[in-house]
Amino acid sequence: MKTKTYWIFAILTISIITLAFGYTTFKSPKEKLAAVDCAETPNTAAESDFKPTIANKTPAPSKAPKGMVWIPGGEFSMGSNVEDESLCSIKGVTKDAAPIHRVYVDGYFMDKTEVTNEEYAKFVKATGYVTVAEQKPTKEEFPTAAEEDLITGSVIFTPTPAAVNLNNFLQWWSYVGGADWKHPEGPQSSIKGKEKYPVVHITYEDAAAYAKWAGKRLPTEAEWEFAARGGKTGNLYAWGNTLKPNGKFQANIYQGHFPIKDGDTGEDGFKGIAPTAQFEPNTYGLYDIGGNVWEWVNDWYSVDYYQTLAGDGKITKNPQGPKAYNDPSDPTEKKKVHRGGSFLCTDQYCTRYMVGTRGKGEIRSAANHLGFRCVKSI
């Protein structure tokens, strides 16, 4: 494929799956160290709006399905009062996770881990399902692309050879022909030996199809956050309020200079994606609820949805998300919410592994840091 066309695909694909950081001017790593202050605790609003979590005391109605845990549900404060996009005091777009508001969710079962390559392979073998990344793009989707350039593929993180200004994310993402869930790093790669890694290059419809086959569904955003908080009130992270309790990382995130080649120092034990369940679970028994890969939830993304819920001051019961998507920074693309952050989240750029923060993605777009987990209603 011609370089120019690769770039067209990158723009078309990346612009609709990544977080909208366009509001902020970012510095390169060297510039950053001189310009801003990094810390392990982000700036938060002076007065906290978090009220106590009131978890239901109802026991699980039955034995948990294999690979799942019981989430009791209850009433909690949802959202974030973090004012910065990163731990380096870079002003960002976390305002879409405000204001904090009260929500109630019924109990449900939830997957302990993100869906793995092994589990997704069973689904594909049983159904013959073909993911979006394995389907040839159409002229209807990309009317300006030449027919010979419409090839299967997906988006892969591609480190830069040297420090770059972080204001242009297209510098470290590439559309790669032949990349899909079976070939996560491109056509020459494989998932052999990586059966326990989370499946990636999954679009919303790919995730929803698996969930339906498994007799499950994707969680609502409220269910996801209630479970991630583990019955605790207003913590910054799924494991507490300290990024590294006792000096130890609790999630697979990025340490070092982002996005430079070999810049990830792997202080958490992993450079890049990790197998599931390599860190301690939260108090509900959920692994990797922060970091490793982003997770699809069922809600449409709307930048002002939390404002709508908080407007009447009432407790919202089992919210299902807005009726339509609303992203003023990219108004034509249909987006659902992502949660949890990924192995590419870094204190220099994006700390969306903080439990109350949000991501977003176009429903037919995927990347090598995007997966999912499921829930099951009682």
Side-chain angles (χ1 to χ4, degrees):
M1 181 181 286
K2 301 173 184 177
T3 301
K4 180 178 180 181
T5 307
Y6 264 120
W7 202 237
I8 291 172
F9 270 89
I11 293 172
L12 289 171
T13 307
I14 295 300
S15 66
I16 55 183
I17 70 167
T18 54
L19 301 172
F21 293 116
Y23 301 100
T24 305
T25 299
F26 293 92
K27 304 290 185 180
S28 71
K30 290 182 179 179
E31 293 173 312
K32 169 191 74 63
L33 293 174
V36 296
D37 181 36
C38 294
E40 290 193 1
T41 303
N43 292 328
T44 58
E47 182 177 347
S48 174
D49 291 322
F50 287 103
K51 297 177 182 178
T53 295
I54 307 171
N56 294 332
K57 299 186 182 299
T58 307
S62 61
K63 183 179 178 180
K66 183 180 179 180
M68 304 189 87
V69 293
W70 172 243
I71 310 298
E75 182 185 324
F76 75 112
S77 292
M78 183 174 177
S80 175
N81 64 346
V82 173
E83 295 183 326
D84 300 331
E85 178 56 45
S86 80
L87 294 178
C88 296
S89 302
I90 298 174
K91 297 300 179 183
V93 293
T94 52
K95 62 185 179 182
D96 68 353
I100 294 165
H101 54 286
R102 292 296 277 182
V103 170
Y104 172 89
V105 293
D106 292 324
Y108 48 97
F109 292 106
M110 191 172 202
D111 289 342
K112 292 180 182 179
T113 71
E114 296 141 346
V115 173
T116 63
N117 288 321
E118 181 178 49
E119 292 168 324
Y120 207 79
K122 291 178 181 178
F123 158 61
V124 170
K125 183 178 180 180
T127 64
Y129 184 82
V130 178
T131 62
V132 172
E134 298 171 278
Q135 301 171 28
K136 180 182 176 181
T138 66
K139 290 290 288 184
E140 288 74 20
E141 291 178 287
F142 302 103
T144 61
E147 182 63 33
E148 65 270 19
D149 293 328
L150 293 173
I151 64 171
T152 61
S154 188
V155 176
I156 293 177
F157 172 68
T158 308
T160 59
V164 295
N165 189 297
L166 300 182
N167 210 35
N168 179 8
F169 53 75
L170 290 176
Q171 297 172 100
W172 56 86
W173 289 104
S174 299
Y175 184 89
V176 177
D180 55 47
W181 74 276
K182 292 180 291 187
H183 308 92
E185 300 303 319
Q188 305 306 315
S189 65
S190 168
I191 57 172
K192 185 177 181 179
K194 296 184 176 181
E195 289 80 9
K196 301 300 183 183
Y197 281 65
V199 65
V200 292
H201 294 295
I202 297 297
T203 68
Y204 170 79
E205 63 187 74
D206 297 334
Y210 172 93
K212 183 178 181 180
W213 170 81
K216 304 175 183 181
R217 59 180 175 82
L218 295 180
T220 65
E221 188 176 12
E223 288 172 333
W224 192 98
E225 184 169 327
F226 181 89
R229 290 193 176 280
K232 307 299 183 181
T233 299
N235 283 351
L236 284 171
Y237 311 106
W239 54 88
N241 283 310
T242 303
L243 179 63
K244 296 188 295 180
N246 299 317
K248 185 178 180 181
F249 281 100
Q250 302 298 305
N252 181 25
I253 55 179
Y254 192 105
Q255 300 90 41
H257 290 317
F258 180 87
I260 303 171
K261 181 177 174 59
D262 299 322
D264 186 352
T265 61
E267 291 177 56
D268 56 22
F270 300 95
K271 296 180 180 181
I273 195 170
T276 59
Q278 299 301 297
F279 299 87
E280 291 296 316
N282 77 350
T283 52
Y284 283 154
L286 300 170
Y287 294 90
D288 304 312
I289 203 73
N292 215 19
V293 298
W294 282 100
E295 299 178 16
W296 287 105
V297 297
N298 198 53
D299 299 33
W300 288 112
Y301 175 81
S302 177
V303 69
D304 58 359
Y305 182 54
Y306 286 14
Q307 297 175 25
T308 301
L309 292 183
D312 59 11
K314 297 180 180 178
I315 299 169
T316 305
K317 186 173 182 178
N318 296 317
Q320 301 297 303
K323 294 182 179 179
Y325 57 91
N326 175 25
D327 183 5
S329 69
D330 194 10
T332 63
E333 303 298 340
K334 299 178 180 179
K335 296 180 183 179
K336 294 274 187 172
V337 176
H338 296 160
R339 279 304 197 110
S342 81
F343 64 88
L344 294 174
C345 281
T346 163
D347 60 4
Q348 299 168 15
Y349 185 60
C350 161
T351 49
R352 299 281 176 118
Y353 46 83
M354 290 187 289
V355 71
T357 57
R358 315 168 74 200
K360 57 189 174 182
E362 194 273 337
I363 58 175
R364 283 180 56 83
S365 294
N368 68 328
H369 69 337
L370 179 57
F372 70 107
R373 78 177 73 209
C374 302
V375 299
K376 187 178 181 67
S377 301
I378 59 175

